[in-house]
């Protein structure tokens, strides 16, 4: 049993590390232009089964090693392999569950009747990217069902203070500022995901509203059908931080 535990833990750890490296490569390969993002996503989806199976093998190795006094090394390797394989399997599983629970949309805004318009970032989009124009009323209907809480933010602070605070908030969230037009009350920025390097563009519209300041936000992915809720999450985070910063 001790030899079997050592063998399973060694093989499990090696395969687990290979799975983790493959997952990283799936994203980095697209980021560096080696293959299409769909190939990277497909790799992650298929990798789930390999990683889940590896986690099961490592779990068996841990159980066997735990019952043997002279199998400490096998126990450590089995636990390490179980952790690495478990995390690697969880990532595509979580993405799949999130995608199945949300509509396949990627253009989210706080103003469905008059979405803020992209100006500067429109020129940054490649021919194969989604257009900068709004995706339309059908997308808006799906957004209302999925994210009914998203709405314009109205603040008591003056417009210039909100405009400055909005720039600071975007920077604090790791977005790259593309343009800030104070006269038009428009700020455009781009967010880049860590692994795949997916880019989502954000436009913030800040306007006077009956003695207050109204802030609308729009966040749209450049590629992909389903944004996995990232754009809505980003808008919520921005509004919360801006409300705290501007008062």
């Amino acid at each position: 049993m001790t030899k079997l535990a050592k063998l399973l833990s060694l093989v499990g750890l090696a395969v687990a590390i290979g799975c983790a490296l493959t997952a990283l490569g799936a994203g980095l390969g697209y980021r560096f232009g080696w293959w299409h993002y769909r190939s990277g996503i497909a790799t992650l989806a298929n990798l789930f089964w390999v990683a889940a199976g590896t986690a099961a093998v490592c779990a068996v190795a841990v159980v066997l090693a735990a019952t043997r006094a002279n199998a400490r090394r096998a126990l450590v390797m089995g636990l390490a392999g179980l952790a690495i394989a478990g995390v690697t399997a969880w990532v595509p599983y979580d993405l799949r569950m999130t995608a199945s629970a949300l509509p396949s949309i990627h253009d989210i805004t706080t103003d469905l009747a008059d979405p803020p318009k992209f100006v500067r970032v429109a020129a940054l989009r490649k021919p194969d990217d989604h257009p900068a124009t709004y995706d339309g009323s059908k997308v808006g209907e799906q957004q209302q069902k999925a994210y009914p809480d998203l709405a314009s933010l109205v603040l008591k602070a003056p417009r210039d203070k909100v405009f400055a605070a909005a720039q600071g908030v975007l920077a604090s969230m790791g977005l790259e500022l593309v343009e800030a037009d104070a006269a038009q009350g428009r700020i455009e920025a781009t967010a880049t995901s860590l692994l795949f390097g997916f880019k989502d563009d954000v436009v913030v519209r800040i306007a006077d509203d009956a003695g207050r300041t109204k802030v609308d936000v729009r966040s749209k992915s450049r590629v992909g059908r389903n944004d996995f809720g990232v754009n809505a999450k980003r808008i919520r985070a921005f509004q919360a931080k801006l409300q705290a910063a501007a008062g």
Side-chain angles (χ1 to χ4, degrees):
M1 285 294 184
T2 301
K3 290 183 178 180
L4 179 59
K6 290 181 178 179
L7 177 62
L8 291 178
S9 62
L10 179 61
V11 172
L13 178 58
V15 177
I17 293 174
C19 287
L21 292 176
T22 301
L24 290 173
L28 294 177
Y30 168 70
R31 192 182 183 102
F32 294 124
W34 297 338
W35 48 69
H36 197 276
Y37 77 88
R38 291 192 182 92
S39 298
I41 296 296
T43 298
L44 286 181
N46 294 325
L47 194 62
F48 164 77
W49 300 105
V50 180
T54 302
V57 170
C58 290
V60 172
V62 169
V63 172
L64 293 176
T67 61
R68 296 292 182 271
N70 59 341
R72 180 178 178 81
R73 183 178 180 184
L75 179 61
V76 173
M77 288 193 298
L79 288 172
L82 179 60
I84 295 172
V87 171
T88 305
W90 171 256
V91 172
Y93 174 80
D94 183 54
L95 289 175
R96 177 175 293 181
M97 292 300 100
T98 300
S100 64
L102 296 173
S104 295
I105 57 178
H106 50 262
D107 193 351
I108 309 300
T109 178
T110 58
D111 189 344
L112 295 172
D114 183 23
K117 294 178 177 59
F118 291 109
V119 178
R120 181 66 182 88
V121 299
L124 302 179
R125 294 201 165 210
K126 299 176 182 178
D128 292 337
D129 292 344
H130 296 308
T133 54
Y134 183 58
D135 284 349
S137 58
K138 290 185 178 180
V139 168
E141 292 173 2
Q142 293 181 76
Q143 177 190 314
Q144 281 186 310
K145 293 179 181 179
Y147 317 114
D149 59 304
L150 293 184
S152 304
L153 178 65
V154 179
L155 302 170
K156 294 182 179 180
R159 182 172 176 268
D160 58 345
K161 179 181 178 181
V162 174
F163 189 89
Q167 292 184 74
V169 169
L170 290 171
S172 71
M173 293 174 63
L175 275 73
E176 178 185 359
L177 183 65
V178 176
E179 184 173 70
D181 191 325
Q184 295 187 18
R186 187 187 74 254
I187 305 173
E188 296 181 72
T190 298
T192 305
S193 67
L194 182 62
L195 181 58
F196 275 78
F198 289 133
K199 292 186 180 296
D200 298 337
D201 293 315
V202 177
V203 55
V204 180
R205 183 177 64 204
I206 302 171
D208 293 320
D209 182 54
R212 298 188 178 187
T213 302
K214 181 181 179 183
V215 182
D216 280 298
V217 191
R218 182 175 162 215
S219 184
K220 182 173 185 177
S221 304
R222 292 191 185 181
V223 299
R225 291 190 305 169
N226 195 321
D227 66 2
F228 302 99
V230 170
N231 286 307
K233 183 179 179 180
R234 180 180 297 114
I235 290 175
R236 290 194 192 102
F238 172 80
Q239 288 183 320
K241 290 177 180 291
L242 179 61
Q243 191 162 21

